[in-house]
Amino acid sequence: MVARPRRSGLCLRLLLMAQTQIVGIVNITSDSFSDGGQFLEAERAIAHGHQLLAQGAHWLDLGAESSNPEGEAVCAATEMARLEPVIADLRRSGARISVDTHKSAVIARALELGAGMVNDITALKDPASVEIVKSYPEVPVVLMFSQDQGQRAKKQISDPETILDRIERFFAERIERLLQAGLNEEQLIIDPGMGYFLGSNPEASLRVLAGWQRLRQLGRPLYLCASRKSFIGNVLGGRPVEGRAAGTLACEIWAYLGGIDYLRTHAVAPLSDAIRVLNAIRE
């Protein structure tokens, strides 16, 4: 009898990856670091959203205010004016929509329009946002870590030796506080933050990528966005945004092979293609 070959550790990991969700980024902004101004008009944002869906996105993450260090503050009324026509059109086509905002009024309006996920870089810091999300117990919420815990990233050095400890402590405390406030535990998704949210030095982001599995002990799904981030350009010798595609894909496949739950990306097509090829090899 010929012995059946044993599955490798890689194959076993791949078997667990079928549920990884690709979240396509649609920036309806004038000043996002990567594509500011490209999709500020509703028609272009809608077309881009449909394109990302066709390329394999499971979710579309719509944001109407940039969080980069040089980003301009945008009022809630402007955010809603930018988001409303895009959400309405994409929802009519059945798209699953995530709204990227920290403002309670914008969260409330987006959920009324049919958004099915909230992505808050301040981790529901506003008590009003907590109350709104409580009334939508089926809607998942992405809670992001930022060393500054503000409304946008800042350029400041971070200690890579302690970054994972700080992230773990933050989420343990934040999850406990939100559960005490009445949120459903099944709603909570955690995002360790990347790039300037962790520090202007690349070592902080690299340390999180190398050790993000430690966050599994928090018991919640994990969400990651390394797409075109500053640390990739730094590792590649100061590469500008337009030269970070391969570095971005390397980070995303690293996380995918580890079984990440959500990958948020600007470039859906190469990530989707890479995953399809990996799965074809597995099968």
Side-chain angles (χ1 to χ4, degrees):
M1 181 181 294
V2 177
R4 290 172 61 88
R6 296 178 62 187
R7 283 181 173 151
S8 69
L10 174 60
C11 286
L12 289 174
R13 288 197 297 275
L14 285 168
L15 285 171
L16 300 175
M17 293 171 201
Q19 300 306 310
T20 298
Q21 302 282 292
I22 299 176
V23 183
I25 299 170
V26 181
N27 286 322
I28 315 169
T29 65
S30 62
D31 55 358
S32 289
F33 80 94
S34 165
D35 54 10
Q38 292 185 31
F39 310 110
L40 185 57
E41 295 179 3
E43 293 79 6
R44 299 185 70 178
I46 290 166
H48 186 54
H50 285 296
Q51 181 181 45
L52 295 180
L53 291 169
Q55 291 172 350
H58 301 96
W59 290 86
L60 297 176
D61 190 46
L62 311 184
E65 179 181 25
S66 174
S67 59
N68 75 70
E70 284 79 34
E72 180 183 359
V74 175
C75 69
T78 298
E79 273 196 66
M80 288 187 282
R82 292 175 177 180
L83 288 166
E84 286 183 359
V86 183
I87 294 175
D89 184 283
L90 293 171
R91 282 296 299 140
R92 281 195 295 270
S93 67
R96 292 194 288 179
I97 302 299
S98 166
V99 61
D100 177 4
T101 185
H102 60 85
K103 297 183 180 72
S104 59
V106 180
I107 291 173
R109 182 57 180 152
L111 293 177
E112 289 173 0
L113 291 170
M117 181 186 290
V118 174
N119 180 13
D120 184 353
I121 66 171
T122 69
L124 293 182
K125 186 176 182 179
D126 184 350
S129 297
V130 175
E131 292 303 310
I132 292 164
V133 171
K134 278 170 59 177
S135 63
Y136 291 86
E138 76 287 356
V139 170
V141 183
V142 180
L143 311 172
M144 197 194 77
F145 171 85
S146 171
Q147 70 165 344
D148 183 63
Q149 297 181 24
Q151 299 172 0
R152 55 183 21 87
K154 290 189 177 180
K155 294 180 180 180
Q156 52 188 338
I157 299 295
S158 178
D159 180 4
E161 299 301 321
T162 63
I163 188 65
L164 278 166
D165 291 334
R166 284 183 280 142
I167 291 172
E168 286 179 317
R169 285 196 303 271
F170 171 80
F171 280 124
E173 295 170 1
R174 193 74 191 118
I175 289 170
E176 181 61 27
R177 185 167 299 180
L178 291 173
L179 295 181
Q180 290 175 356
L183 262 68
N184 174 8
E185 184 176 10
E186 296 304 310
Q187 290 180 272
L188 305 181
I189 298 169
I190 60 177
D191 176 358
M194 296 298 288
Y196 287 135
F197 289 112
L198 297 182
S200 55
N201 49 324
E203 294 81 8
S205 291
L206 295 172
R207 183 60 59 89
V208 169
L209 276 172
W212 68 265
Q213 290 281 7
R214 279 178 53 180
L215 303 178
R216 284 289 183 199
Q217 67 185 349
L218 293 166
R220 302 311 311 140
L222 297 177
Y223 186 107
L224 189 78
C225 180
S227 189
R228 303 175 181 173
K229 295 286 189 180
S230 58
F231 77 94
I232 296 172
N234 196 306
V235 169
L236 297 176
R239 192 80 58 83
V241 170
E242 59 270 20
R244 299 173 188 172
T248 290
L249 187 59
C251 294
E252 292 170 346
I253 293 304
W254 169 268
Y256 178 76
L257 290 174
I260 197 77
D261 299 287
Y262 296 87
L263 278 169
R264 179 178 181 268
T265 188
H266 295 88
V268 168
L271 176 57
S272 180
D273 286 352
I275 288 173
R276 288 175 64 187
V277 172
L278 285 170
N279 287 337
I281 295 169
R282 177 200 71 191
E283 294 166 2

